[in-house]
Amino acid sequence: MSVMASQTAPLAQGPAHLILDALDPDQRDVATALTGPVCVLAGAGTGKTRAVTHRIAYGVRTGAYSPTTVLAVTFTARAAGEMRTRLRELGVSGVQARTFHAAALRQMGYFWPKVVGGAPPRILDHKAPVIAEASRRIGISVDRVAVRDLASEVEWSKVSLVTAEDYEKACAAIARPQVAGYDHRTVARLITAYEEVKTERSTIDFEDVLLMLADMLASHPEIADQVRSQYRHFVVDEYQDVSPLQQFLLDQWLGGRNELCVVGDPSQTIYSFTGASPHHLLTFRTRYPDAQVVRLVRDYRSTPQVVTLANKLLAQRGRARGTAAPLELVAQRPAGPPVRFEAYDDDESEAKGIAREIRHLTTTGTPVSEIAILYRTNSQSEAFEQALADAGIGYLVKGGDRFFQRKEVRDALVLLRGAARSADPEVPMPETVRDVLVTTGWAEEAPGPRGAARERWDSMQALVTLADEVAARTENATVSDLVLELDERSAAQHAPTVEGVTLASLHAAKGLEWDAVFLAGVSEGLMPISFAETDESVEEERRLLYVGITRAREFLQLSYARARNPGGRASRRRTRFLDGLWPHEEPVQRRRPRAGAAREQLTGEYDQALFDELREWRRTVAAETDKPAFTVLVDAALAAIAETRPTSNAALARINGIGPAKIEKYGASVIAIVERAGG
């Protein structure tokens, strides 16, 4: 703990070696690897942001880098803001730390008048209206849910660099499921119509920003030279989630150079549905054979109890192709409380039980802002909102109204800007801020029960807390310093901490951490989600649970409800991912989700060569019939065949997911393959 607890403030003025003294040996290897290519495989809680920001600071302090030549790209505005804050604490200014989109938008806006002329097109806030219009033009009827799903599919095609002309073939090649009930040909037509509507309206979407900038750099050497002379050193965080489009833009930025440091963890790949892929991280050494690879495995975030569970969860991972051996974390914190496992009678009991536990935690000293309830789908939040409200516990829903868009926050910023011009320099800044915010409804004591007044107070209290933080780290801080901080945070949507229990989906929790975490609803159908039908998608669900577990620093509880409603049939079962890990309970023989049911009563030990031969046969059948491969037989069914080696239709019929229609179509071929393998 002593290394990670070191203060960064003295490093801003001290000699360069102090930057290295603040790091553990592996982090020091990252910081001293000043020339690329560098690949940092960083497990959850291992201090990757600390390592890369100290690397940048050490490079600047030793003269290896000029700060303005460094571009660090991240995937969230919050992560970019955190990186800028840490660099500032290390005495480094001028480094560009932005999201891919923010960096691309800034560059495109600068070069557009020179390349195209005039102002850049307006960027769509939402795809839905254009998707609806495109649907009308091609004659398909869509509801709100279909529009949302089709918009996501359009986004996937663009970040995957799949054009409308190639969409059908691309989907068939990877057995991509149909979207919203429409076949791939229809979706391809929709993509074409979507682009036409955008052009007519002189608008672009966020993916176009990356595409247009990348094309601008690829087709205008003078523009590319200007950008490449500006940015000579690149850092990419969360590299396991990079999309083909982002990689294409990164390649244009690099222009064949190798001054690149990437940081990622394949075990935290949870956004494949958006086009993200760990492929570029896993093949980094193939692309750059001389790359230096550093592994960060010392976990400073979580207790040994939490780390042990996380390691065991990944150790039981399945056989999805392309998966990499996980990093095994080594806990650095002292022992904490054991991980808790709870089964409740129904959803309402689960929500109320968690609210009671939260009340107990807060009365024993855990700040309410250091507690989170995480779940698989956003629809699960309602029960927890009600239970917390009934218990008089404040909460905020991650993904709700953005902090800086709230009316009370906008009004407070206007008042603070005025105070920045007229404040008495003899009065401490935090005191001035409190005096200003009193007029907006802030008071020393919270108003009590949940409601509009409490939500306004929570927002103002977040500003007060931030004022205290700015004053603590900045000598003679002024209101102007606070306003500058707020402006930077607003531009990056890096909201200050609001007091309240955080309610968030597991996807939204990525990159965050709390002292206490409640992982709710860990039952089959939710974890893994019911529509995870392939081995690959099930393993991504396992990684999602891993991300949830590793958000906890000290207290962790996993729970599920046996029934949905009070008095209902107790038909739910805990997630298969915790077989052998859930205490005082025998492993459950489970049926996989219907579309992929194939391993009930199976050991999972199958003939890999036979499995590969079956997959090759399936690929051929899919190509000949112009159908997605999964519609022939899913991976789970092929694995069951490779294990049980059926040599008759009756034996095939005993495999879950293979019915009379499948046997009639493919039975003879499958049995012939099995018999050849047996010979």
Side-chain angles (χ1 to χ4, degrees), residues 176-187:
R176 189 168 178 82
Q178 295 181 358
V179 177
Y182 300 105
D183 61 39
H184 294 142
R185 183 163 301 175
T186 300
V187 176

Side-chain angles (χ1 to χ4, degrees), residues 438-673:
V438 163
T439 64
T440 68
W442 179 81
E444 289 287 349
E445 296 295 329
R450 298 304 299 171
R454 175 58 184 264
E455 290 177 4
R456 284 194 298 272
W457 185 89
D458 285 341
S459 297
M460 297 303 99
Q461 179 62 26
L463 296 177
V464 168
T465 302
L466 183 61
D468 292 341
E469 293 174 359
V470 171
R473 69 168 183 256
T474 306
E475 188 175 356
N476 299 320
T478 66
V479 179
S480 294
D481 293 325
L482 175 63
V483 169
L484 178 61
E485 172 89 6
L486 288 167
D487 285 343
E488 291 180 355
R489 285 172 172 263
S490 178
Q493 288 300 323
H494 179 204
T497 302
V498 176
E499 286 297 310
V501 174
T502 300
L503 302 180
S505 70
L506 287 165
H507 283 101
K510 179 74 169 66
L512 304 176
E513 58 187 78
W514 297 270
D515 285 347
V517 169
F518 293 84
L519 282 174
V522 291
S523 58
E524 289 288 310
L526 286 172
M527 180 57 61
I529 199 73
S530 58
F531 51 76
E533 298 175 348
T534 65
D535 290 343
E536 288 80 3
S537 60
V538 169
E539 285 310 303
E540 181 149 334
E541 293 287 301
R542 183 190 301 275
R543 294 194 296 269
L544 192 57
L545 180 57
Y546 172 81
V547 166
I549 289 171
T550 55
R551 299 311 94 193
R553 297 191 191 105
E554 296 181 10
F555 177 95
L556 175 64
Q557 174 178 303
L558 296 92
S559 65
Y560 74 99
R562 297 186 181 94
R564 179 174 183 178
N565 299 312
R569 189 165 66 91
S571 58
R572 285 182 180 162
R573 297 291 180 268
R574 60 162 173 78
T575 174
R576 73 191 78 168
F577 296 147
L578 296 175
D579 282 352
L581 303 178
W582 193 283
H584 314 304
E585 188 174 56
E586 291 297 320
V588 180
Q589 292 290 339
R590 300 184 184 279
R591 183 186 298 273
R592 284 179 58 117
R594 183 178 178 184
R599 294 194 181 178
E600 188 177 18
Q601 309 292 342
L602 299 174
T603 67
E605 298 296 328
Y606 56 81
D607 185 328
Q608 184 66 49
L610 177 54
F611 178 79
D612 291 342
E613 187 173 352
L614 288 165
R615 286 192 66 157
E616 180 60 24
W617 162 80
R618 182 183 66 179
R619 186 193 65 77
T620 302
V621 172
E624 292 173 349
T625 58
D626 197 26
K627 291 181 178 180
F630 76 90
T631 64
V632 180
L633 287 174
V634 297
D635 279 0
L638 299 184
I641 294 169
E643 178 177 336
T644 61
R645 294 176 169 270
T647 56
S648 68
N649 286 344
L652 273 175
R654 287 195 290 270
I655 295 176
N656 292 319
I658 302 182
K662 299 284 189 186
I663 291 174
E664 183 178 353
K665 286 183 179 179
Y666 311 122
S669 298
V670 169
I671 289 171
I673 293 171

Side-chain angles (χ1 to χ4, degrees), residues 252-332:
Q252 303 313 308
W253 279 336
L254 285 165
R257 299 170 294 175
N258 64 1
E259 284 304 316
L260 173 64
C261 174
V262 301
V263 189
D265 179 8
S267 296
Q268 297 187 68
T269 303
I270 59 173
Y271 295 110
S272 65
F273 62 92
T274 68
S277 169
H279 170 77
H280 301 290
L281 176 63
L282 296 174
T283 59
F284 193 81
R285 281 294 297 272
T286 302
R287 187 173 188 181
Y288 300 103
D290 59 338
Q292 181 173 343
V293 178
V294 183
R295 289 173 171 80
L296 301 182
V297 296
R298 293 178 174 88
D299 187 319
Y300 297 95
R301 176 188 299 160
S302 305
T303 63
Q305 287 78 5
V306 173
V307 169
T308 297
L309 178 63
N311 284 335
K312 287 182 176 179
L313 177 75
L314 289 188
Q316 296 182 352
R317 72 193 191 283
R319 292 177 172 76
R321 293 169 70 94
T323 55
L327 295 168
E328 184 170 353
L329 301 176
V330 180
Q332 303 297 300

